[in-house]
Amino acid sequence: MAAGPVVVATWRFGVPACEAAWQVLASGGSALDAIERGANVTEEDPSVQSVGYGGLPNAEGVVELDAAIMDGPTHGAGAVGGLTGIRRPISVARAVMERTPHSMLVGGNARRFALAAGFEDADLLTEESRRRWREWVATHGMPDVAHFDGAGLDLGLDSERMDEPSHDTIGLCALDAGGRLAAGCTTSGLAWKLPGRVGDSPIVGSGLYADQDVGAAAATGNGDEIMKVCLSYRVVMLMESGLSPQHACEEAIRYLLRKRPEHQAHGAACIALSAAGEFGAAATREGFDAPGRQWLWAVGDASGVTLHEGPTVTLDEP
Ligand code: ASP
C-alpha cells in the first residue's frame, strides 16, 4: 500500500514549486508530471536569479541552463547541459528522455533539439540579470574566456564568492498516489561561470537520482564538489542500506566533507524522499549557514506546503 502523495523541493522558491506539483499529485497525476510542473514554475519566475529565465549568465553574459529529470518506474532519465535561449529546460530534458534514445544533450545541439521539438527561442536575460552581469564585468573586466587564457583570468570563483547567493537549484522529489517516484532539477548554475561549465544538476547520480524500489534524492550547492561524490546516488544507496532519508542526507553530506575537507566553505545540500513517503534533508554548515542564507527546503502533502530549515552538519558530529 503506497503512502500518500508527497513532494519535496529545495530552497524557499521550492514553496511555489511544491504548490504547483501538489496540484498535479492531488488530482491523481504522475510524479513525473508533478516534477515537471513544479520545476517549470521556478524556471519561468524571473525573480529567481539562479534558475531558467532571469538566471545569472556565464562570464560572457550568456545564460547556460542545466536540467534533468528521472522517472522511478522506468528508471529512465533525460538531461540537458549548457542549454541556451530556451525557457523550460526541464521540459527539454523530459523530451530527451521520451523522444530520443539518449540520456543527455548539450550545448548548441541541445538547443537545436529543443527548437525541433517545438520549444520557442527566448531571451533568458532580464533587465536585472543583465544589469548584474554588467556590474560584474565592470568590477572584474571582460575576461578573455574565448581562449581560456589563464593569465590574468579572474572569474572570481574563489571560496568567498562561492558563499554568495549567486547560484541555487530547484531540485524536486515526488511520490504520487500510485506509488511512483520521480526526481528533477534545473538551474542556471554558478553565476559568471566559464562558458561550457556544466554542474551536477544534469548528471544522473550527482544532481538527482531515483530508484523506484528505494527512494529519490536531489542536490543543490556547489556542483563542482557535489559531482565528485555522486551525492544523490549516495543518498539513495544509503537509504537502500537501511538509513532513513534524513540520516542518509546527513551521512552523504558528511562523506562530501570528509572527502573534500579543504572545500568546506562551499555549500552543498540534498533532499530525499523514500518509496514509503518519508523525507529528509541536510546541508553543510559552512556556505549555507551565513546570515540570510540558511538551508531551506519545502514539503507539499495533504496537509499543505510547509517551509523547513536545516539541519546542517559538520564533520565532527557523530
Ligand atoms: N548545483 C548547481 C551548480 O553547481 C548550483 C546550485 O545548486 O547552487 O550548477
Side-chain angles (χ1 to χ4, degrees):
M1 174 67 185
V6 55
V7 56
V8 190
T10 54
W11 300 113
R12 187 184 293 280
F13 51 58
V15 169
C18 278
E19 280 163 359
W22 176 255
Q23 292 301 319
V24 176
L25 295 174
S27 58
S30 72
L32 197 66
D33 287 342
I35 295 287
E36 182 182 7
R37 181 82 59 84
N40 284 162
V41 167
T42 322
E43 291 175 332
E44 296 278 19
D45 183 347
S47 72
V48 178
Q49 296 200 335
S50 56
V51 179
Y53 174 57
L56 294 175
N58 68 17
E60 287 181 315
V62 177
V63 183
E64 289 182 296
L65 303 175
D66 296 340
I69 194 160
M70 188 157 187
D71 179 41
T74 59
H75 211 69
V80 286
L83 178 68
T84 56
I86 303 286
R87 274 173 86 137
R88 288 178 287 112
I90 200 159
S91 299
V92 183
R94 183 169 179 176
V96 170
M97 175 174 79
E98 292 177 342
R99 298 169 66 177
T100 80
H102 305 305
S103 305
M104 185 191 283
L105 294 176
V106 301
N109 285 317
R111 177 174 158 76
R112 272 175 68 198
F113 167 77
L115 293 172
F119 291 86
E120 277 175 25
D121 181 30
D123 180 3
L124 298 179
L125 285 169
T126 57
E127 223 171 276
E128 177 60 11
S129 59
R130 200 174 269 115
R131 184 194 67 72
R132 284 194 61 186
W133 176 69
R134 288 198 180 119
E135 201 175 272
W136 180 79
V137 171
T139 316
H140 294 261
M142 186 65 185
D144 179 19
V145 289
H147 298 95
F148 291 98
D149 178 2
L153 176 65
D154 174 14
L155 294 180
L157 294 178
D158 50 23
S159 301
E160 221 171 276
R161 176 135 214 131
M162 300 300 304
D163 290 343
E164 289 180 22
S166 59
H167 57 92
D168 280 339
T169 299
I170 178 78
L172 300 115
C173 300
L175 176 71
D176 65 31
R180 292 167 295 198
L181 281 166
C185 48
T186 170
T187 186
S188 51
L190 304 184
W192 336 129
K193 62 192 174 187
L194 277 173
R197 180 267 187 190
V198 172
D200 60 307
S201 306
I203 299 177
V204 169
S206 289
L208 78 172
Y209 195 68
D211 181 326
Q212 181 59 30
D213 299 322
V214 182
T220 180
N222 184 344
D224 295 299
E225 296 306 310
I226 290 168
M227 72 169 83
K228 292 185 181 89
V229 297
C230 303
L231 191 67
S232 295
Y233 183 73
R234 193 162 188 93
V235 171
V236 175
M237 288 305 101
L238 286 165
M239 284 159 63
E240 187 178 43
S241 75
L243 266 60
S244 67
Q246 182 56 43
H247 284 131
C249 286
E250 290 172 21
E251 201 41 50
I253 292 290
R254 215 168 273 129
Y255 176 80
L256 169 62
L257 294 174
R258 215 160 50 233
K259 291 291 167 190
R260 301 283 292 169
E262 68 279 27
H263 294 275
Q264 296 210 19
H266 293 183
C270 50
I271 53 171
L273 175 64
S274 75
E278 298 171 307
F279 50 82
T284 56
R285 172 160 298 160
E286 302 289 342
F288 285 149
D289 225 9
R293 180 126 177 88
Q294 280 84 7
W295 162 228
L296 299 170
W297 47 290
V299 177
D301 60 17
S303 58
V305 176
T306 47
L307 188 64
H308 302 246
E309 187 183 323
T312 52
V313 296
T314 55
L315 252 187
D316 37 287
E317 285 165 24

